[in-house]
Amino acid sequence: MVYGEMNRDELTSEKKRLSEQYDAYLGEGLKLDLSRGKPAADQLDLSMDLLNRPLSPAECVVDGFDCRNYGCPWGLPSMRRFFSELLGIPSEQIIVGGNSSLALMYGTISRAMLFGLADSPAPWASVEKRKWLCPAPGYDRHFAITEKMGFELIPVDMTPTGPDMDQVEKLVLDPCVKGIWCVPKYSNPTGITYSDDTCRRLATMKTGAPDFTVMWDNAYAVHDLADGGDDLLNIFDLAVQAGTENRFFCFSSTSKITFPGGGVSILAASPANIELAKKYISVETIGFDKLNQLRHLRFLKDAEGVKVQMNRHKALLARKFRILEDTLERDLGGLGIAEWTHPKGGYFVSLDLPDGCAKRTYELAKAAGVTLTPAGATFPYGRDPRDRNLRLAPTCSSTAELGIAASILTVAVRLAAIEKLL
Ligand SMILES: Cc1ncc(COP(=O)(O)O)c(C=O)c1O
């Protein structure tokens, strides 16, 4: 039964049937949420040992540094080695930050605005018509940073292999285009991982700006939902080969390994850009929280320890993604009105509807007690030109809530699609 092939009478009776279902939900006074891309409490419980193990004074000394005191501003050597092993980046090129990689991203762009980067002819603030590429659908907080810094946000289509590189390669020839946001693995929200070809093209493409910057936000580097997750090429290896090392700033954190807001973040870049970052960050802070680094080292230990921890997350998360995807398939499969992603990792499912249906679906779901990420949020300036994309976050609800929320969502989708067709 494809909605687009149904006649007016058939659509009207389908609408009546769905409206009855919808009205029943309205009466239930539900309060459900598919908007929060964060771990549920059972996932947070997995990391309680990080807090529960007392430390003796002697145990606070790591690599010769007393973690209770100032010093060692770029992170404990053991912590830098930990991330080096995890992400395949030389530890000398890593700065361990505080509890948020997003803050490191904001800081990187702020410093480029004020002082410039290793290859900058001038600080970015002096480029009046500065522009930034925003693969969309993408992460709203990324877009917000470059919007606040006065960049014109240029949308680039996301494809199953990453940003549309034909578009990117053309746009970057403009010297006013200073950079691009990338979530290369289990992208927020589409869940896709950049293909080898996309990575290579990002490393080798010609750019108009000598200081063109790729913000490589590897937030979901180890966040598989299934065995045999996706593989991502090592962008620094490619960049070194291409002679474009200064182009890449890489970020990651333990936010969704241990505690969001209570984890450890990193910034990695070329030797020249790391030196520059250190020069300015050392004015900003005497150092980040080494005690939290120590707690993380004791709890996670090494890449093997991270694997064990991520398998525990996977066991809790995979069920939720299955419930969401099964419900979408059960209720929307074959209707010709919806396409959604089947991520092998990360925190989101991206749902595409007929043009002009996302806002209406959001409103219908909201009135029936299901909060969704606002329609448009995944696009620059919060404007989805086709009003068709919704970001679904199944992780934070209980499995019981999720089943109901997903069912309400699919009723809302079908009603919005029929309204459009009628
Ligand atoms: C792509 C992406 N980057 C960064 C973050 C935030 O990371 P952090 O907690 O390290 O600031 C998120 C959180 O949802 C995210 O989805």
Side-chain angles (χ1 to χ4, degrees), residues 187-203:
S187 193
N188 176 351
T190 64
I192 63 99
T193 297
Y194 288 17
S195 68
D196 295 359
D197 183 58
T198 299
C199 294
R200 284 202 187 92
R201 288 170 78 176
L202 283 166

Side-chain angles (χ1 to χ4, degrees), residues 215-237:
M215 296 289 276
W216 194 251
D217 178 3
N218 209 351
Y220 300 107
V222 291
H223 302 58
D224 299 339
L225 287 167
D227 294 337
D230 292 342
D231 288 320
L232 175 70
L233 283 186
N234 185 320
I235 201 69
F236 277 115
D237 289 349

Side-chain angles (χ1 to χ4, degrees), residues 45 47-55 259 295 298:
D45 293 346
S47 299
M48 285 311 289
D49 272 354
L50 193 139
L51 303 174
N52 288 340
R53 291 188 204 147
L55 283 158
F259 297 129
R295 285 191 289 266
R298 272 162 47 102

